[in-house]
Amino acid sequence: MASMNEVAKRAGVSIATVSRVLNNSDSVNEATRLKILKAIKELKYQPSRVAKRLRSKSVSSNLLGVLIPDIQNPFYVDVLRGIEDVAYRNNYAIIMCNYGQDEKKEILYLDILQSEAIDGLIAAPVNENDQRLKNIIKGGLPVVCVDRGLAGIDVDIVWVNNEEGAYSAVSHLVKSGYKRIAYISGLPSIPSSRMRENGYRRALENAGLMDSGLIKYGNSSYASGVELCAELLDMPNPPDAIFTGNNLITLGALETIHKRKKQIPNDVAIVGFDDMFWASSLNPPLTAVRQPAYEIGKRAGELLIQRITDPQRPCIQMTLNAELMIRSSC
Amino acid sequence: MASMNEVAKRAGVSIATVSRVLNNSDSVNEATRLKILKAIKELKYQPSRVAKRLRSKSVSSNLLGVLIPDIQNPFYVDVLRGIEDVAYRNNYAIIMCNYGQDEKKEILYLDILQSEAIDGLIAAPVNENDQRLKNIIKGGLPVVCVDRGLAGIDVDIVWVNNEEGAYSAVSHLVKSGYKRIAYISGLPSIPSSRMRENGYRRALENAGLMDSGLIKYGNSSYASGVELCAELLDMPNPPDAIFTGNNLITLGALETIHKRKKQIPNDVAIVGFDDMFWASSLNPPLTAVRQPAYEIGKRAGELLIQRITDPQRPCIQMTLNAELMIRSSC
DNA sequence: CTGAAAGCGCTAACAG
DNA sequence: CTGTTAGCGCTTTCAG
């Protein structure tokens, strides 16, 4: 890998001039410019992003960090795609950190990310009190949160209206005549789990159908969906419908329901939070609350790049709408 | 962010000594060691991975590149999880590049990755003649390929026996009595697409059932699954079974079949390459060839770290077994 | 318009 | 056992 020095030598100029044409910062004599360009081509010179990053925190080093809880969740995959598209268009690379809901891992990754001198970070923190992340924000790193906010600190956020989404889903269940509607929650420490529970409660209270015994708390995973759905079906007086708190829980619950040969929606109806692009190929086609995941990622990416450019811009919280996709599981 | 200099100053030693305790390279007097450790703690010092990387290509900078064609494909997500687990355990961070089957994007990402001075790369190249990647390997960067190999160059590879996997799937179809078995292929430029086609052909030729008119070539995407399946069903003499070339194609084909209210497997049977953890919740539960994707990623990660440690180690090609998961779609 | 030189944070000889 | 010093490849004053 040729360095700037070699280019300079070959072109018979100083490295400063090479740097200038590379960043077309100052004006350079056209003839020398051409000479340099020629040398660059001949040497197949590629600038080192590392040296650039080390040299100047002031200039953009073109590296973004993404910190997400669960890469296996299709929702985050779509968010990631959105971020990645924006990053690519702006010549940013992405360091992707998947902490698997594990706080220790999150901390390590946050350290690494800082240590890599990233320009900005898009994160879905473990919980809203994430002290590490708050400190990083206070330290001046541009950060935008997705899907999950942070308490007591001003930060850009992109998420959906979780409560409304849940409310519309559960209301749909109520309107369809279901009486014993259960909720399989994700990790209660995640704000969105609680927001969704609020929507669920509001819908049921309005209908006079609320029964706290029908709420199960899990850890947002496929396994917890499998397990908690089984607990629900094992009740002496099982629910006639289930509202599942996320993607993975839905898939897990489906697994259990099918294993027991229960009919959906006749034996038990189901509506899930989070749509999947193949939801209409599930058995039966799944009614679900669709979060515009790709859009969330895209917006977050745009906000982050804006903030990198202009750190003074006031924080904004962007709430996108979740939409109920009615298919045939309830 | 405190630097080594500040730590040295605070501890009243030289930066060299700080570096020594940090890397416990040379022996350091216990008392000074403690002083330094104290200073590090007080200053919340974090070493800069960037400076380290710039300084010495000889020492590990703890950054791995991952270059994959399609993050939306659950197969690659699982591969990524496997890589990530190994990386995490070895204190490596990952730069994730998703080129979306777009060769231009792949080239840009390859440039960026080199420019970031990564220690090693795990890649699933666009095609087996990927010149850019070959040059990088020749340049001495440790690389291991997953899922797709590279022609005419010695490189570590981890993949499955695609031909055998396809053969077993199609043979199962034959044994079940299907006569007109179609294949929706992914991008023919991808070696695995062709290997799978070979398995398909071999199974059908053995049974005297081969009909080239029943092969459709697409681009490995969900959309191509939707579209090519429709073409197949629109034929005057449509197939009674379909073998789909990957995950996304399967999901797309399912979409089309359901939209047309065809019954699976009565109207048309389907068996897919690539299993998904929720495959038993599909309508109907999908029979599929399961690639051990997580395992592939894990092995690739291990091989890469080995190679970084010992660049002289002879290349190895690791072929894992694909397994037919029989459920009820055929 | 161009070059010299300082320095980003760190490692690795080389002396002492 | 510890300090000095020379860079890694680049940007950025400051002079010419």
Side-chain angles (χ1 to χ4, degrees):
Chain A
M1 292 270 300
S3 73
M4 244 177 65
N5 231 313
E6 307 174 48
V7 174
K9 219 166 283 171
R10 185 173 193 107
V13 297
S14 78
I15 61 168
T17 310
V18 178
S19 173
R20 282 185 190 105
V21 345
L22 245 29
N23 305 299
N24 37 11
S25 48
D26 277 311
S27 51
V28 174
N29 180 293
E30 192 56 19
T32 50
R33 220 178 76 86
L34 258 30
K35 260 195 310 192
I36 291 171
L37 255 21
K38 183 153 161 281
I40 287 177
K41 199 146 255 169
E42 289 169 353
L43 261 33
K44 296 190 190 174
Y45 166 75
Q46 279 192 272
S48 158
R49 296 166 64 102
V50 180
K52 193 180 226 171
R53 193 125 26 89
L54 177 61
R55 178 51 229 245
S56 49
K57 278 241 54 88
S58 66
V59 101
S60 165
S61 57
N62 295 316
L63 226 209
L64 258 31
V66 174
L67 181 72
I68 55 178
D70 188 357
I71 185 71
Q72 210 167 7
N73 184 328
F75 167 73
Y76 288 111
V77 172
D78 285 340
V79 171
L80 190 55
R81 281 199 311 125
I83 296 171
E84 201 252 333
D85 276 1
V86 175
Y88 174 72
R89 274 202 294 279
N90 291 276
N91 194 32
Y92 279 86
I94 288 179
I95 295 200
M96 203 273 301
C97 300
N98 168 223
Y99 64 88
Q101 308 279 13
D102 173 349
E103 195 157 353
K104 284 235 184 62
K105 208 164 167 181
E106 194 212 12
I107 290 175
L108 176 74
Y109 275 141
L110 244 19
D111 283 354
I112 289 183
L113 252 12
Q114 274 202 290
S115 171
E116 287 290 352
I118 55 176
D119 295 310
L121 171 65
I122 293 179
V126 241
N127 65 56
E128 61 210 317
N129 299 311
D130 198 317
Q131 203 52 53
R132 263 324 216 303
L133 187 54
K134 284 192 200 173
N135 286 342
I136 288 178
I137 296 173
K138 281 183 198 143
L141 184 76
V143 171
V144 2
C145 288
V146 284
D147 185 45
R148 308 172 176 191
L150 232 34
I153 191 168
D154 212 22
V155 61
D156 288 329
I157 305 179
V158 184
W159 53 11
V160 299
N161 195 326
N162 283 294
E163 179 169 340
E164 279 308 304
Y167 180 82
S168 70
V170 178
S171 294
H172 179 71
L173 248 19
V174 169
K175 263 179 276 165
S176 305
Y178 297 99
K179 299 296 180 199
R180 293 181 52 72
I181 303 173
Y183 174 48
I184 304 183
S185 166
L187 268 178
S189 59
I190 304 172
S192 59
S193 298
R194 294 201 307 276
M195 297 286 88
R196 290 168 197 178
E197 181 176 337
N198 290 347
Y200 162 84
R201 282 179 183 273
R202 187 153 57 85
L204 291 193
E205 275 158 9
N206 286 352
L209 253 27
M210 187 60 211
D211 172 358
S212 295
L214 255 22
I215 302 184
K216 294 282 181 185
Y217 298 95
N219 66 357
S220 307
S221 71
Y222 180 80
S224 79
V226 170
E227 189 179 323
L228 296 178
C229 180
E231 286 184 20
L232 248 16
L233 298 182
D234 282 342
M235 288 171 66
N237 186 7
D240 57 4
I242 302 178
F243 171 50
T244 45
N246 83 358
N247 253 338
L248 264 17
I249 296 171
T250 308
L251 261 5
L254 244 27
E255 166 81 28
T256 295
I257 296 172
H258 288 139
K259 186 154 285 164
R260 307 217 171 178
K261 312 263 187 238
K262 298 279 185 201
Q263 293 300 315
I264 302 173
N266 294 341
D267 296 331
V268 58
I270 184 165
V271 44
F273 209 103
D274 288 329
D275 201 19
M276 294 152 281
F277 65 86
W278 65 87
S280 56
S281 296
L282 286 169
N283 177 20
L286 183 75
T287 295
V289 180
R290 182 185 171 283
Q291 293 196 66
Y294 177 87
E295 182 82 6
I296 291 175
K298 196 178 140 211
R299 294 296 185 179
E302 290 166 354
L303 283 184
L304 185 58
I305 288 175
Q306 277 177 24
R307 177 159 300 288
I308 291 171
T309 317
D310 171 18
Q312 301 313 321
R313 161 168 81 58
C315 286
I316 103 172
Q317 296 187 200
M318 209 179 247
T319 305
L320 307 181
N321 274 328
E323 180 187 5
L324 184 64
M325 309 297 288
I326 298 178
R327 290 187 275 251
S328 29
S329 65
C330 71
Chain B
M1 290 272 301
S3 74
M4 243 178 65
N5 231 312
E6 306 175 47
V7 173
K9 217 166 284 171
R10 184 172 192 110
V13 296
S14 78
I15 63 167
T17 309
V18 177
S19 174
R20 282 185 191 105
V21 344
L22 245 30
N23 306 299
N24 37 9
S25 47
D26 278 310
S27 53
V28 175
N29 178 294
E30 191 56 20
T32 49
R33 222 179 74 85
L34 259 31
K35 258 194 312 192
I36 291 170
L37 256 21
K38 183 153 161 281
I40 287 177
K41 198 145 256 169
E42 289 169 351
L43 260 33
K44 295 188 189 175
Y45 166 75
Q46 279 192 271
S48 157
R49 296 165 66 103
V50 180
K52 193 179 224 169
R53 194 126 26 89
L54 176 59
R55 178 50 228 248
S56 48
K57 277 239 56 88
S58 66
V59 101
S60 163
S61 58
N62 296 315
L63 225 209
L64 258 33
V66 173
L67 182 72
I68 55 178
D70 188 357
I71 184 69
Q72 212 167 6
N73 184 327
F75 167 74
Y76 288 111
V77 172
D78 285 340
V79 172
L80 190 55
R81 280 199 312 125
I83 297 172
E84 202 251 334
D85 276 0
V86 176
Y88 174 72
R89 275 203 292 280
N90 291 275
N91 195 30
Y92 279 87
I94 288 177
I95 295 201
M96 203 275 301
C97 300
N98 168 224
Y99 65 88
Q101 308 279 13
D102 174 349
E103 195 157 355
K104 283 234 185 64
K105 208 165 167 179
E106 194 211 12
I107 290 175
L108 175 73
Y109 275 141
L110 244 21
D111 283 353
I112 289 184
L113 253 12
Q114 274 202 288
S115 172
E116 286 290 352
I118 55 176
D119 295 310
L121 171 65
I122 294 179
V126 241
N127 65 56
E128 59 210 318
N129 299 311
D130 196 319
Q131 203 51 54
R132 262 327 214 304
L133 186 53
K134 285 192 199 172
N135 286 342
I136 288 179
I137 295 173
K138 280 182 199 144
L141 185 74
V143 171
V144 2
C145 288
V146 285
D147 185 45
R148 307 170 178 194
L150 233 32
I153 191 168
D154 210 23
V155 60
D156 288 329
I157 304 180
V158 184
W159 53 12
V160 299
N161 194 324
N162 283 294
E163 179 169 339
E164 278 310 302
Y167 179 82
S168 69
V170 178
S171 294
H172 179 72
L173 249 18
V174 169
K175 263 178 279 167
S176 305
Y178 296 99
K179 299 296 179 201
R180 294 182 50 73
I181 303 173
Y183 173 46
I184 305 182
S185 166
L187 268 178
S189 59
I190 303 173
S192 59
S193 298
R194 296 200 308 275
M195 297 286 89
R196 290 168 197 178
E197 180 176 339
N198 290 347
Y200 161 85
R201 283 179 183 275
R202 187 153 56 86
L204 290 193
E205 276 157 9
N206 286 353
L209 254 26
M210 187 61 211
D211 173 357
S212 294
L214 256 20
I215 301 184
K216 293 283 181 185
Y217 298 94
N219 66 358
S220 307
S221 70
Y222 180 81
S224 79
V226 169
E227 189 179 324
L228 297 178
C229 180
E231 287 183 21
L232 248 15
L233 298 182
D234 283 342
M235 289 172 64
N237 186 6
D240 57 4
I242 302 177
F243 171 50
T244 45
N246 82 359
N247 253 338
L248 263 18
I249 296 171
T250 309
L251 261 4
L254 245 24
E255 167 81 28
T256 296
I257 296 173
H258 287 140
K259 186 154 284 164
R260 307 217 172 177
K261 312 262 186 242
K262 298 278 185 204
Q263 291 301 314
I264 302 173
N266 294 341
D267 296 331
V268 58
I270 184 166
V271 43
F273 209 103
D274 290 329
D275 201 20
M276 295 152 280
F277 66 88
W278 66 87
S280 56
S281 296
L282 286 169
N283 177 23
L286 183 75
T287 295
V289 180
R290 181 184 171 283
Q291 293 196 65
Y294 177 88
E295 183 82 5
I296 291 175
K298 197 178 141 209
R299 294 294 185 182
E302 290 166 353
L303 283 183
L304 185 58
I305 287 175
Q306 276 176 25
R307 176 159 300 288
I308 290 171
T309 317
D310 172 18
Q312 301 313 322
R313 160 168 81 57
C315 287
I316 103 172
Q317 296 187 199
M318 208 179 249
T319 305
L320 305 182
N321 274 327
E323 180 188 4
L324 184 64
M325 309 297 288
I326 299 178
R327 289 187 275 250
S328 29
S329 65
C330 73

